[in-house]
Coordinates of all heavy atoms in Angstrom, one line a residue:
M1110 N -100.4 16.9 84.1 CA -100.1 17.5 82.9 C -100.6 18.9 82.7 O -101.7 19.2 83.1 CB -100.6 16.5 81.8 CG -100.1 16.8 80.4 SD -100.7 15.5 79.3 CE -99.2 15.3 78.4
D1111 N -99.8 19.8 82.1 CA -100.2 21.2 82.0 C -100.7 21.5 80.6 O -100.1 22.2 79.8 CB -99.0 22.1 82.2 CG -98.8 22.4 83.7 OD1 -99.7 22.2 84.5 OD2 -97.7 22.9 84.1
D1112 N -101.9 20.9 80.3 CA -102.5 21.1 79.0 C -103.3 22.4 79.0 O -103.9 22.8 80.0 CB -103.4 20.0 78.6 CG -102.7 18.8 78.2 OD1 -101.5 18.9 77.8 OD2 -103.3 17.7 78.2
E1113 N -103.2 23.1 77.9 CA -104.0 24.4 77.7 C -105.4 24.1 77.5 O -105.8 23.1 76.7 CB -103.4 25.1 76.5 CG -104.0 26.4 76.1 CD -103.4 27.0 74.9 OE1 -102.7 26.3 74.1 OE2 -103.5 28.2 74.8
P1114 N -106.4 24.8 78.1 CA -107.8 24.6 77.8 C -108.1 24.8 76.3 O -107.5 25.6 75.6 CB -108.5 25.6 78.6 CG -107.5 26.0 79.7 CD -106.1 25.8 79.1
L1115 N -109.0 24.0 75.8 CA -109.3 24.0 74.4 C -109.8 25.4 74.0 O -109.5 25.9 72.9 CB -110.4 23.0 74.1 CG -110.7 22.8 72.6 CD1 -109.5 22.5 71.8 CD2 -111.8 21.7 72.4
A1116 N -110.6 26.1 74.8 CA -111.1 27.4 74.5 C -110.0 28.4 74.3 O -110.1 29.2 73.3 CB -112.1 27.9 75.6
E1117 N -109.0 28.4 75.1 CA -107.8 29.3 74.9 C -107.1 29.0 73.6 O -106.6 29.9 72.9 CB -106.9 29.2 76.1 CG -107.5 29.8 77.4 CD -106.5 29.7 78.6 OE1 -105.3 29.4 78.3 OE2 -107.0 29.8 79.7
W1118 N -106.9 27.7 73.4 CA -106.2 27.3 72.1 C -106.9 27.8 70.9 O -106.4 28.4 70.0 CB -106.0 25.8 72.1 CG -105.4 25.3 70.8 CD1 -104.1 25.3 70.4 CD2 -106.2 24.8 69.7 NE1 -104.0 24.8 69.1 CE2 -105.3 24.5 68.6 CE3 -107.5 24.6 69.4 CZ2 -105.7 24.0 67.4 CZ3 -107.9 24.1 68.2 CH2 -107.0 23.8 67.2
A1119 N -108.3 27.6 70.9 CA -109.1 28.0 69.7 C -109.1 29.5 69.6 O -109.0 30.0 68.5 CB -110.5 27.5 69.9
E1120 N -109.1 30.2 70.7 CA -109.0 31.7 70.6 C -107.7 32.2 70.0 O -107.7 33.1 69.2 CB -109.2 32.3 72.0 CG -109.2 33.8 72.0 CD -109.4 34.3 73.5 OE1 -110.1 33.6 74.3 OE2 -108.9 35.4 73.7
R1121 N -106.6 31.5 70.4 CA -105.3 31.9 69.9 C -105.2 31.5 68.4 O -104.7 32.3 67.6 CB -104.2 31.2 70.7 CG -102.8 31.7 70.4 CD -101.8 31.1 71.3 NE -101.5 29.8 70.8 CZ -101.7 28.6 71.5 NH1 -102.2 28.7 72.7 NH2 -101.5 27.5 71.0
R1122 N -105.8 30.4 68.0 CA -105.7 30.0 66.6 C -106.6 30.9 65.7 O -106.2 31.4 64.7 CB -106.3 28.6 66.4 CG -106.2 28.1 65.0 CD -107.0 26.9 64.8 NE -108.4 27.3 64.9 CZ -109.4 26.4 65.0 NH1 -109.2 25.1 65.0 NH2 -110.6 26.8 65.1
D1123 N -107.8 31.3 66.2 CA -108.7 32.2 65.5 C -108.2 33.6 65.4 O -108.5 34.3 64.4 CB -110.1 32.2 66.1 CG -110.8 30.8 66.0 OD1 -110.4 30.0 65.2 OD2 -111.7 30.6 66.8
A1124 N -107.3 34.0 66.3 CA -106.7 35.3 66.2 C -105.8 35.5 64.9 O -105.7 36.6 64.4 CB -105.9 35.7 67.4
R1125 N -105.3 34.4 64.4 CA -104.4 34.4 63.2 C -105.2 34.3 61.9 O -104.6 34.5 60.9 CB -103.4 33.3 63.3 CG -102.4 33.4 64.4 CD -101.3 32.4 64.4 NE -100.7 32.4 63.1 CZ -100.0 31.4 62.5 NH1 -100.0 30.2 63.1 NH2 -99.4 31.5 61.4
V1126 N -106.5 34.0 62.0 CA -107.2 33.9 60.7 C -107.2 35.2 60.0 O -107.4 36.3 60.5 CB -108.7 33.5 61.0 CG1 -109.6 33.5 59.8 CG2 -108.8 32.1 61.6
G1127 N -106.9 35.1 58.7 CA -106.8 36.3 57.8 C -105.3 36.8 57.7 O -105.1 37.7 56.9
Q1128 N -104.4 36.2 58.5 CA -103.0 36.7 58.4 C -102.4 36.3 57.0 O -102.7 35.3 56.5 CB -102.2 36.0 59.5 CG -100.8 36.4 59.5 CD -100.0 35.7 60.6 OE1 -100.5 34.9 61.4 NE2 -98.7 35.9 60.7
L1129 N -101.7 37.3 56.5 CA -101.0 37.1 55.2 C -99.6 36.8 55.3 O -98.9 37.3 56.3 CB -101.3 38.3 54.3 CG -102.7 38.7 54.0 CD1 -102.7 40.0 53.2 CD2 -103.4 37.6 53.2
R1130 N -99.0 36.1 54.4 CA -97.6 35.9 54.3 C -97.2 35.8 52.8 O -98.0 35.4 51.9 CB -97.1 34.6 55.0 CG -97.4 33.3 54.3 CD -96.8 32.1 55.0 NE -97.1 30.9 54.3 CZ -96.7 29.7 54.7 NH1 -96.0 29.6 55.9 NH2 -97.0 28.6 54.0
A1131 N -95.9 36.1 52.5 CA -95.4 36.1 51.1 C -94.4 35.0 51.1 O -93.4 34.9 51.8 CB -94.8 37.4 50.7
V1132 N -94.5 34.1 50.1 CA -93.6 33.0 49.9 C -92.9 33.1 48.5 O -93.6 33.2 47.5 CB -94.4 31.6 49.9 CG1 -93.4 30.5 49.7 CG2 -95.1 31.5 51.2
P1133 N -91.6 33.2 48.5 CA -90.9 33.3 47.2 C -91.1 32.1 46.4 O -91.1 31.0 46.8 CB -89.4 33.4 47.6 CG -89.4 33.6 49.1 CD -90.7 33.2 49.6
L1134 N -91.3 32.4 45.1 CA -91.5 31.3 44.1 C -90.1 31.0 43.4 O -89.8 31.7 42.5 CB -92.6 31.7 43.1 CG -93.9 31.9 43.7 CD1 -94.9 32.4 42.6 CD2 -94.5 30.7 44.3
V1135 N -89.4 30.1 44.0 CA -88.1 29.8 43.4 C -88.1 28.3 43.0 O -88.8 27.5 43.6 CB -86.9 30.1 44.4 CG1 -86.8 31.5 44.6 CG2 -87.1 29.3 45.7
T1136 N -87.3 27.9 42.0 CA -87.3 26.6 41.6 C -86.5 25.7 42.5 O -85.5 26.1 43.1 CB -86.7 26.5 40.1 OG1 -85.4 27.0 40.2 CG2 -87.6 27.2 39.2
G1137 N -86.8 24.4 42.6 CA -86.1 23.5 43.3 C -86.1 23.8 44.8 O -87.0 24.4 45.3
G1138 N -85.1 23.3 45.5 CA -85.1 23.5 46.9 C -84.2 24.8 47.3 O -83.5 24.8 48.2
G1139 N -84.4 25.8 46.5 CA -83.6 27.0 46.6 C -84.0 27.7 47.9 O -84.8 27.3 48.7
P1140 N -83.2 28.8 48.1 CA -83.5 29.6 49.4 C -84.9 30.2 49.4 O -85.4 30.6 48.4 CB -82.4 30.7 49.3 CG -82.0 30.8 47.9 CD -82.2 29.4 47.3
R1141 N -85.5 30.2 50.6 CA -86.8 30.7 50.7 C -86.8 32.0 51.5 O -87.9 32.6 51.7 CB -87.7 29.7 51.4 CG -87.9 28.4 50.6 CD -88.7 27.4 51.3 NE -89.9 27.9 51.9 CZ -91.1 27.8 51.3 NH1 -91.2 27.2 50.1 NH2 -92.2 28.3 51.9
A1142 N -85.7 32.4 52.0 CA -85.6 33.7 52.8 C -85.8 34.9 51.8 O -85.3 34.9 50.7 CB -84.3 33.8 53.5
S1143 N -86.6 35.8 52.3 CA -87.0 36.9 51.4 C -85.9 37.8 51.0 O -85.8 38.3 49.8 CB -88.1 37.8 52.0 OG -87.6 38.4 53.2
H1144 N -84.9 38.0 51.9 CA -83.8 38.9 51.5 C -82.8 38.3 50.5 O -82.0 39.0 50.0 CB -83.1 39.3 52.8 CG -82.3 38.2 53.5 ND1 -83.0 37.2 54.3 CD2 -81.0 37.8 53.5 CE1 -82.1 36.4 54.7 NE2 -80.9 36.7 54.2
L1145 N -82.8 37.0 50.3 CA -81.9 36.3 49.4 C -82.3 36.5 47.9 O -81.5 36.5 47.0 CB -81.7 34.9 49.7 CG -81.1 34.6 51.1 CD1 -81.0 33.1 51.3 CD2 -79.7 35.3 51.2
N1146 N -83.6 36.6 47.6 CA -84.1 36.7 46.3 C -85.1 37.9 46.2 O -86.3 37.6 46.1 CB -84.8 35.4 45.8 CG -83.8 34.3 45.6 OD1 -82.7 34.6 45.0 ND2 -84.1 33.1 46.0
P1147 N -84.7 39.1 46.4 CA -85.7 40.2 46.4 C -86.4 40.4 45.1 O -87.5 41.0 45.2 CB -84.8 41.4 46.8 CG -83.4 41.1 46.4 CD -83.3 39.6 46.5
E1148 N -85.9 40.0 44.0 CA -86.6 40.2 42.7 C -87.4 39.0 42.3 O -88.1 39.0 41.3 CB -85.5 40.5 41.6 CG -84.8 41.8 41.9 CD -85.7 43.0 42.0 OE1 -86.7 43.1 41.3 OE2 -85.5 43.8 42.9
A1149 N -87.4 37.9 43.1 CA -88.2 36.7 42.8 C -89.7 37.0 43.0 O -90.0 37.8 44.0 CB -87.8 35.5 43.6
P1150 N -90.6 36.5 42.2 CA -92.0 36.7 42.4 C -92.4 36.0 43.7 O -91.8 35.1 44.2 CB -92.7 36.0 41.2 CG -91.6 35.2 40.6 CD -90.3 35.7 41.0
R1151 N -93.5 36.5 44.3 CA -94.0 36.0 45.6 C -95.5 35.6 45.5 O -96.3 36.2 44.8 CB -94.0 37.1 46.7 CG -92.7 37.7 47.1 CD -91.6 36.8 47.3 NE -90.5 37.3 48.1 CZ -89.3 37.5 47.6 NH1 -89.1 37.4 46.3 NH2 -88.4 37.9 48.4
A1152 N -95.8 34.5 46.1 CA -97.2 34.0 46.3 C -97.6 34.6 47.6 O -97.0 34.3 48.6 CB -97.3 32.5 46.2
I1153 N -98.7 35.3 47.6 CA -99.3 35.8 48.8 C -100.3 34.7 49.3 O -101.2 34.3 48.6 CB -100.0 37.1 48.6 CG1 -99.1 38.2 47.9 CG2 -100.6 37.7 49.9 CD1 -97.9 38.6 48.7
Q1154 N -100.1 34.3 50.6 CA -101.0 33.3 51.1 C -101.7 33.8 52.3 O -101.2 34.7 53.0 CB -100.2 32.0 51.5 CG -99.5 31.4 50.3 CD -98.6 30.2 50.8 OE1 -98.2 30.1 51.9 NE2 -98.4 29.3 49.9
R1155 N -102.9 33.3 52.6 CA -103.8 33.7 53.7 C -104.1 32.5 54.6 O -104.4 31.5 54.1 CB -105.1 34.3 53.1 CG -106.0 34.8 54.2 CD -107.3 35.4 53.5 NE -108.2 35.8 54.5 CZ -109.1 35.0 55.0 NH1 -109.2 33.7 54.7 NH2 -110.0 35.4 55.9
W1156 N -104.0 32.7 55.9 CA -104.2 31.6 56.8 C -105.7 31.6 57.1 O -106.4 32.6 57.5 CB -103.5 31.9 58.2 CG -103.7 30.9 59.2 CD1 -104.4 31.0 60.3 CD2 -103.3 29.5 59.2 NE1 -104.4 29.9 61.1 CE2 -103.7 28.9 60.4 CE3 -102.5 28.8 58.3 CZ2 -103.4 27.6 60.7 CZ3 -102.2 27.5 58.6 CH2 -102.7 26.9 59.8
N1157 N -106.4 30.4 56.9 CA -107.8 30.3 57.0 C -108.2 29.6 58.3 O -109.4 29.3 58.6 CB -108.4 29.6 55.9 CG -108.1 28.1 55.8 OD1 -107.4 27.6 56.7 ND2 -108.4 27.5 54.7
G1158 N -107.2 29.4 59.2 CA -107.5 28.7 60.5 C -107.0 27.3 60.5 O -106.9 26.7 61.5
H1159 N -106.8 26.7 59.3 CA -106.4 25.3 59.2 C -105.2 25.2 58.3 O -104.4 24.3 58.5 CB -107.5 24.4 58.7 CG -108.7 24.5 59.5 ND1 -108.8 23.8 60.7 CD2 -109.9 25.1 59.4 CE1 -110.0 24.0 61.3 NE2 -110.7 24.8 60.5
M1160 N -105.1 26.0 57.2 CA -104.0 25.9 56.3 C -103.8 27.2 55.5 O -104.7 28.1 55.6 CB -104.3 24.8 55.3 CG -105.5 25.0 54.4 SD -105.9 23.6 53.3 CE -104.6 23.9 52.1
W1161 N -102.6 27.4 54.9 CA -102.4 28.5 54.1 C -103.0 28.3 52.7 O -102.8 27.3 52.1 CB -100.9 28.8 53.9 CG -100.2 29.2 55.2 CD1 -99.5 28.3 56.1 CD2 -100.2 30.4 55.8 NE1 -99.1 29.1 57.1 CE2 -99.5 30.4 57.0 CE3 -100.7 31.7 55.4 CZ2 -99.3 31.4 57.8 CZ3 -100.5 32.8 56.3 CH2 -99.8 32.6 57.4
E1162 N -103.8 29.3 52.3 CA -104.5 29.2 51.0 C -104.0 30.3 50.1 O -103.7 31.4 50.6 CB -106.0 29.2 51.1 CG -106.5 30.5 51.8 CD -108.0 30.4 52.1 OE1 -108.6 29.3 52.0 OE2 -108.6 31.5 52.4
P1163 N -104.0 30.1 48.8 CA -103.6 31.2 47.8 C -104.5 32.4 48.0 O -105.7 32.3 48.1 CB -103.7 30.6 46.5 CG -103.9 29.1 46.7 CD -104.4 28.9 48.1
H1164 N -103.9 33.6 48.0 CA -104.6 34.8 48.2 C -104.3 35.8 47.1 O -105.1 36.6 46.7 CB -104.3 35.4 49.5 CG -105.1 36.7 49.8 ND1 -106.4 36.7 50.1 CD2 -104.7 38.0 49.9 CE1 -106.8 38.0 50.3 NE2 -105.8 38.8 50.2
G1165 N -103.0 35.8 46.6 CA -102.6 36.8 45.6 C -101.2 36.5 45.1 O -100.7 35.5 45.3
F1166 N -100.7 37.5 44.3 CA -99.4 37.3 43.7 C -98.7 38.7 43.7 O -99.4 39.7 43.5 CB -99.6 36.8 42.3 CG -98.3 36.7 41.5 CD1 -97.5 35.6 41.7 CD2 -97.9 37.6 40.6 CE1 -96.3 35.4 41.0 CE2 -96.7 37.5 39.9 CZ -95.9 36.4 40.1
A1167 N -97.4 38.7 43.9 CA -96.6 39.9 43.9 C -95.4 39.7 43.0 O -94.8 38.6 43.0 CB -96.2 40.3 45.3
A1168 N -95.0 40.7 42.3 CA -93.9 40.5 41.3 C -92.6 40.5 42.0 O -91.7 39.9 41.4 CB -94.0 41.7 40.3
N1169 N -92.4 41.1 43.1 CA -91.1 41.1 43.8 C -91.3 41.4 45.3 O -92.5 41.5 45.8 CB -90.2 42.1 43.2 CG -90.7 43.5 43.2 OD1 -91.5 43.9 44.0 ND2 -90.4 44.3 42.2
L1170 N -90.3 41.4 46.1 CA -90.3 41.6 47.5 C -91.0 43.0 47.9 O -91.8 43.1 48.8 CB -88.9 41.5 48.1 CG -88.8 41.7 49.6 CD1 -89.7 40.7 50.4 CD2 -87.4 41.7 50.1
A1171 N -90.6 44.0 47.2 CA -91.1 45.4 47.5 C -92.7 45.4 47.3 O -93.4 45.9 48.2 CB -90.5 46.4 46.6
E1172 N -93.2 44.8 46.3 CA -94.6 44.8 46.1 C -95.3 43.9 47.1 O -96.3 44.2 47.6 CB -94.9 44.2 44.7 CG -96.4 44.3 44.3 CD -96.7 43.8 42.9 OE1 -95.8 44.0 42.0 OE2 -97.7 43.2 42.7
A1173 N -94.6 42.8 47.5 CA -95.2 41.9 48.5 C -95.3 42.6 49.8 O -96.3 42.5 50.6 CB -94.4 40.7 48.6
R1174 N -94.3 43.4 50.2 CA -94.3 44.2 51.4 C -95.4 45.2 51.4 O -96.0 45.5 52.5 CB -93.0 44.8 51.7 CG -91.9 43.8 52.2 CD -90.6 44.5 52.5 NE -89.7 43.5 53.0 CZ -88.4 43.7 53.2 NH1 -87.9 44.9 52.9 NH2 -87.7 42.7 53.7
R1175 N -95.7 45.8 50.3 CA -96.8 46.8 50.2 C -98.1 46.1 50.4 O -99.0 46.7 51.0 CB -96.8 47.5 48.9 CG -95.7 48.6 48.8 CD -95.9 49.5 47.6 NE -95.7 48.8 46.3 CZ -94.5 48.6 45.7 NH1 -93.4 49.1 46.3 NH2 -94.4 48.0 44.5
V1176 N -98.3 44.9 50.0 CA -99.5 44.1 50.2 C -99.6 43.7 51.6 O -100.7 43.8 52.3 CB -99.6 42.9 49.3 CG1 -100.7 42.0 49.6 CG2 -99.6 43.3 47.8
L1177 N -98.5 43.2 52.2 CA -98.6 42.7 53.6 C -98.7 43.7 54.6 O -99.3 43.6 55.7 CB -97.3 41.8 53.9 CG -97.2 40.5 53.0 CD1 -95.8 39.9 53.4 CD2 -98.3 39.6 53.2
F1178 N -98.0 44.9 54.4 CA -98.0 46.0 55.4 C -98.4 47.3 54.7 O -97.6 48.2 54.5 CB -96.6 46.1 55.9 CG -96.0 44.8 56.4 CD1 -94.9 44.2 55.7 CD2 -96.4 44.2 57.5 CE1 -94.4 43.0 56.1 CE2 -95.9 43.0 57.9 CZ -94.8 42.4 57.2
P1179 N -99.7 47.4 54.4 CA -100.2 48.6 53.7 C -100.0 49.9 54.5 O -99.8 51.0 53.9 CB -101.6 48.3 53.4 CG -102.0 47.3 54.4 CD -100.8 46.5 54.7
H1180 N -100.1 49.9 55.8 CA -100.0 51.1 56.6 C -98.6 51.4 57.0 O -98.4 52.5 57.7 CB -100.9 51.0 57.8 CG -102.3 50.7 57.5 ND1 -103.1 51.6 56.8 CD2 -103.1 49.6 57.6 CE1 -104.3 51.0 56.6 NE2 -104.3 49.8 57.1
A1181 N -97.6 50.6 56.7 CA -96.3 50.8 57.2 C -95.6 52.0 56.5 O -94.9 52.8 57.1 CB -95.4 49.6 56.9
E1182 N -95.9 52.3 55.3 CA -95.3 53.4 54.6 C -95.8 54.7 55.1 O -95.1 55.7 55.2 CB -95.6 53.3 53.1 CG -94.8 52.2 52.4 CD -95.2 52.1 50.9 OE1 -95.8 53.0 50.4 OE2 -94.8 51.1 50.3
A1183 N -97.1 54.8 55.4 CA -97.7 56.0 55.9 C -97.2 56.3 57.4 O -97.0 57.4 57.7 CB -99.2 55.9 55.9
A1184 N -97.0 55.2 58.1 CA -96.6 55.4 59.5 C -95.1 55.7 59.7 O -94.7 56.4 60.6 CB -96.9 54.1 60.3
S1185 N -94.3 55.3 58.8 CA -92.9 55.5 58.9 C -92.5 56.8 58.1 O -92.0 56.7 57.0 CB -92.1 54.3 58.4 OG -92.3 54.1 57.1
A1186 N -92.6 57.9 58.8 CA -92.1 59.2 58.2 C -90.6 59.3 58.3 O -90.1 58.9 59.3 CB -92.8 60.4 58.9
P1187 N -90.0 59.8 57.3 CA -88.5 59.9 57.4 C -88.1 60.8 58.5 O -88.7 61.9 58.7 CB -88.1 60.4 56.0 CG -89.3 61.0 55.4 CD -90.5 60.3 56.0
E1188 N -87.1 60.4 59.2 CA -86.6 61.3 60.3 C -85.7 62.4 59.7 O -84.8 62.1 58.9 CB -85.7 60.4 61.2 CG -85.7 60.9 62.6 CD -85.0 59.9 63.5 OE1 -85.6 58.8 63.7 OE2 -83.9 60.2 64.0
T1189 N -86.0 63.6 60.1 CA -85.2 64.7 59.6 C -83.9 65.0 60.3 O -83.0 65.5 59.7 CB -86.1 66.0 59.7 OG1 -86.5 66.2 61.0 CG2 -87.3 65.9 58.8
T1190 N -83.8 64.6 61.6 CA -82.6 64.8 62.3 C -82.0 63.5 62.7 O -82.8 62.5 63.0 CB -82.8 65.7 63.6 OG1 -83.7 65.0 64.4 CG2 -83.3 67.0 63.2
T1191 N -80.7 63.4 62.8 CA -80.1 62.1 63.2 C -80.0 62.1 64.7 O -79.6 63.2 65.3 CB -78.7 61.9 62.6 OG1 -77.9 63.1 62.9 CG2 -78.8 61.8 61.1
P1192 N -80.4 61.0 65.4 CA -80.3 61.0 66.8 C -78.8 61.1 67.3 O -77.9 60.5 66.6 CB -80.9 59.7 67.2 CG -80.9 58.9 66.0 CD -80.9 59.8 64.8
R1193 N -78.6 61.8 68.3 CA -77.2 62.0 68.8 C -77.0 61.2 70.1 O -77.9 61.2 71.0 CB -77.0 63.5 69.1 CG -75.6 63.9 69.2 CD -75.5 65.4 69.3 NE -74.2 65.7 69.9 CZ -74.1 66.1 71.2 NH1 -75.1 66.5 71.8 NH2 -72.9 66.3 71.7
L1194 N -75.9 60.6 70.2 CA -75.6 59.8 71.5 C -75.2 60.8 72.6 O -74.3 61.6 72.4 CB -74.5 58.8 71.2 CG -74.9 57.7 70.3 CD1 -73.7 56.8 70.1 CD2 -76.0 56.9 70.8
D1195 N -75.9 60.7 73.7 CA -75.5 61.5 74.8 C -74.3 60.8 75.5 O -74.0 59.6 75.4 CB -76.7 61.5 75.8 CG -77.8 62.3 75.3 OD1 -77.6 63.2 74.5 OD2 -79.0 62.0 75.7
P1196 N -73.5 61.6 76.2 CA -72.4 61.1 76.9 C -72.9 60.1 78.0 O -73.9 60.3 78.6 CB -71.7 62.3 77.6 CG -72.7 63.4 77.6 CD -73.6 63.1 76.5
G1197 N -72.2 58.9 78.1 CA -72.6 57.9 79.0 C -71.4 57.2 79.6 O -70.2 57.5 79.3
T1198 N -71.6 56.3 80.5 CA -70.6 55.7 81.2 C -70.6 54.2 81.0 O -69.9 53.4 81.6 CB -70.7 55.9 82.8 OG1 -72.0 55.4 83.1 CG2 -70.6 57.3 83.1
G1199 N -71.3 53.7 80.0 CA -71.3 52.3 79.7 C -70.0 51.8 79.2 O -69.1 52.5 78.8
R1200 N -69.9 50.4 79.2 CA -68.6 49.8 78.8 C -68.3 50.1 77.4 O -67.2 50.1 77.0 CB -68.7 48.3 79.0 CG -68.8 47.9 80.4 CD -68.8 46.4 80.5 NE -69.6 45.7 79.6 CZ -69.9 44.5 79.5 NH1 -69.2 43.6 80.3 NH2 -70.7 44.0 78.6
H1201 N -69.3 50.3 76.5 CA -69.1 50.5 75.1 C -68.7 51.9 74.8 O -68.3 52.2 73.6 CB -70.3 50.1 74.3 CG -71.5 50.9 74.7 ND1 -72.2 50.8 75.9 CD2 -72.1 51.9 74.0 CE1 -73.2 51.6 75.9 NE2 -73.2 52.4 74.8
R1202 N -68.8 52.8 75.7 CA -68.5 54.2 75.4 C -67.0 54.5 75.7 O -66.4 53.9 76.6 CB -69.3 55.1 76.4 CG -70.8 55.0 76.3 CD -71.3 55.6 75.0 NE -72.7 55.4 74.8 CZ -73.6 56.3 74.9 NH1 -73.3 57.5 75.2 NH2 -74.9 56.0 74.8
K1203 N -66.4 55.3 74.8 CA -65.1 55.7 75.0 C -65.0 56.7 76.2 O -65.8 57.6 76.3 CB -64.5 56.4 73.8 CG -64.3 55.4 72.6 CD -63.7 56.1 71.5 CE -63.5 55.2 70.3 NZ -63.0 55.9 69.1
P1204 N -63.9 56.6 77.0 CA -63.8 57.6 78.1 C -63.5 59.0 77.5 O -62.8 59.1 76.4 CB -62.7 57.1 78.9 CG -61.9 56.2 78.0 CD -62.9 55.6 77.0
P1205 N -63.9 60.1 78.1 CA -63.6 61.4 77.6 C -62.1 61.7 77.6 O -61.4 61.2 78.5 CB -64.3 62.4 78.5 CG -64.8 61.6 79.7 CD -64.7 60.1 79.3
P1206 N -61.6 62.4 76.6 CA -60.1 62.6 76.5 C -59.6 63.5 77.6 O -60.2 64.2 78.2 CB -59.9 63.2 75.1 CG -61.2 63.6 74.6 CD -62.3 62.9 75.5

């Protein structure tokens, strides 16, 4: 049997401790995908190594993303020029006229 050593499993599990996730608060068995209800409030949960525990609250998807990815806005500077496709020979390219 190819069982993983317990030390490797524990190391992989402990690497996720502190990870955050946002769960939409919708009534009933409604959709849980974030893009379907962007204005729905979110519960921010934190992984403690054994279960997801309450960590915070966000009013909508945009606020939840700011909590989950605080450095993403600073790292993603808007691109000033649009990338141009170079001529190629791939199947998806149109042949030159």
Side-chain angles (χ1 to χ4, degrees):
M1110 190 171 218
D1111 276 344
D1112 284 342
E1113 177 181 22
L1115 185 59
E1117 289 179 17
W1118 172 83
E1120 182 179 330
R1121 195 176 73 245
R1122 183 198 67 193
D1123 292 342
R1125 291 186 59 205
V1126 171
Q1128 180 181 0
L1129 298 176
R1130 75 174 182 181
V1132 179
L1134 300 175
V1135 294
T1136 58
R1141 295 176 50 97
S1143 64
H1144 67 281
L1145 296 179
N1146 290 319
E1148 296 305 318
R1151 301 313 201 248
I1153 307 296
Q1154 297 177 335
R1155 182 180 174 274
W1156 180 250
N1157 68 8
H1159 300 284
M1160 63 184 284
W1161 291 99
E1162 60 187 13
H1164 181 72
F1166 180 79
N1169 56 30
L1170 178 60
E1172 186 178 326
R1174 286 185 176 167
R1175 284 192 294 274
V1176 172
L1177 297 178
F1178 311 108
H1180 303 293
E1182 290 179 12
S1185 64
E1188 206 173 293
T1189 56
T1190 61
T1191 57
R1193 198 170 156 254
L1194 293 177
D1195 292 330
T1198 59
R1200 292 185 315 183
H1201 62 284
R1202 302 287 175 109
K1203 292 183 179 179

